[in-house]
């Protein structure tokens, strides 16, 4: 099982590569990839207190696979393709598991529609907006070798987020 130590970090050339599609013959491998993605996401959540989605290349699996875990519900997107992008945009500070202490100011589409295959290889279509729209755009960018650092609004659109302190340090002394 993969852990936070297996996350592919900023500067690794794999993060800039375009991923290969998942083919139907690889379906038996998907459950293992998803288990690894879930385990790494849980480690990130425990360490950095964020994480709703992760793309396969972030753990070195160079396949078009996105794993989301929203409100306790997992969702696997095989070969996701953004097919409709709203003209309305919004700005936000984006974060990424591959550089967890860096926030990047970006602009994203308010609403998107994604086509993908689920774990049973069934075609699906999903329309989302706001935060989930941003998340899907971020994760699909990973599949094309695009990082949010490459989408920064300007050279001043970077901010450092300190690592959260362990719970013990919140205790008062004396």
């Amino acid at each position: 099982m993969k852990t936070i130590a297996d996350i592919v970090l900023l500067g690794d050339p794999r993060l800039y590569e375009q991923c290969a599609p998942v083919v139907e013959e690889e379906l038996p491998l998907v459950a293992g990839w998803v288990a690894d993605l879930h385990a790494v996401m849980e480690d990130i959540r425990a360490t950095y207190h964020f994480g709703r989605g992760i793309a396969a290349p972030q753990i070195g699996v160079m396949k078009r696979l996105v794993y989301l875990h929203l409100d306790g519900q997992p969702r696997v997107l095989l070969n996701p393709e953004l097919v409709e992008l709203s003209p309305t945009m919004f700005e936000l500070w984006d974060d990424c598991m591959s550089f967890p202490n860096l926030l990047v100011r970006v602009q994203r589409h308010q609403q998107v529609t994604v086509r993908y295959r689920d774990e049973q290889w069934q075609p699906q279509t999903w329309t989302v907006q706001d935060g989930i729209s941003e998340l899907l755009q971020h994760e699909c960018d990973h599949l094309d070798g695009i990082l949010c650092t490459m989408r920064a609004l300007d050279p001043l659109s970077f901010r450092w987020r300190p690592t959260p302190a362990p719970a013990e340090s919140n205790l008062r002394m004396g």
Side-chain angles (χ1 to χ4, degrees):
M1 191 68 56
K2 293 194 182 256
T3 69
I4 195 172
D6 295 299
I7 198 88
V8 177
L9 297 174
L10 183 65
D12 188 306
R14 292 174 291 179
L15 287 178
Y16 307 100
E17 293 177 18
Q18 189 162 6
C19 293
V22 176
V23 294
E24 191 170 5
E25 294 75 32
E26 293 173 313
L27 279 179
L29 301 172
V30 169
W33 294 336
V34 168
D36 284 340
L37 289 164
H38 180 78
V40 171
M41 181 186 294
E42 288 302 311
D43 272 0
I44 291 282
R45 285 178 170 180
T47 303
Y48 294 99
H49 310 293
F50 78 91
R52 303 171 297 157
I54 186 169
Q58 291 181 271
I59 61 166
V61 176
M62 303 308 292
K63 290 291 182 173
R64 299 188 76 77
L65 163 63
V66 168
Y67 174 71
L68 304 178
H69 203 270
L70 306 167
D71 299 322
Q73 299 298 316
R75 186 182 291 242
V76 175
L77 293 84
L78 304 174
N79 304 326
E81 178 187 1
L82 299 176
V83 294
E84 291 179 32
L85 305 167
S86 72
T88 308
M89 307 288 282
F90 70 108
E91 290 182 13
L92 72 147
W93 287 101
D94 202 354
D95 54 20
C96 183
M97 293 179 192
S98 291
F99 36 95
N101 290 319
L102 183 64
L103 297 172
V104 182
R105 190 83 175 157
V106 298
Q107 192 173 59
R108 298 285 190 186
H109 295 274
Q110 191 80 37
Q111 180 174 303
V112 298
T113 299
V114 61
R115 269 194 234 136
Y116 64 98
R117 291 195 178 266
D118 64 19
E119 292 171 283
Q120 289 73 45
W121 204 247
Q122 296 302 306
Q124 302 291 331
T125 302
W126 188 28
T127 299
V128 295
Q129 57 189 349
D130 302 324
I132 307 305
S133 171
E134 176 276 321
L135 177 63
L136 275 176
Q137 291 169 76
H138 176 104
E139 301 307 340
C140 287
D141 272 354
H142 270 299
L143 304 180
D144 292 326
I146 299 169
L147 303 179
C148 62
T149 54
M150 299 157 85
R151 294 200 183 274
L153 292 177
D154 59 44
L156 302 177
S157 293
F158 297 89
R159 187 170 77 193
W160 191 251
R161 174 176 49 199
T163 303
E168 305 85 57
S169 69
N170 293 331
L171 299 176
R172 291 182 174 236
M173 299 299 288

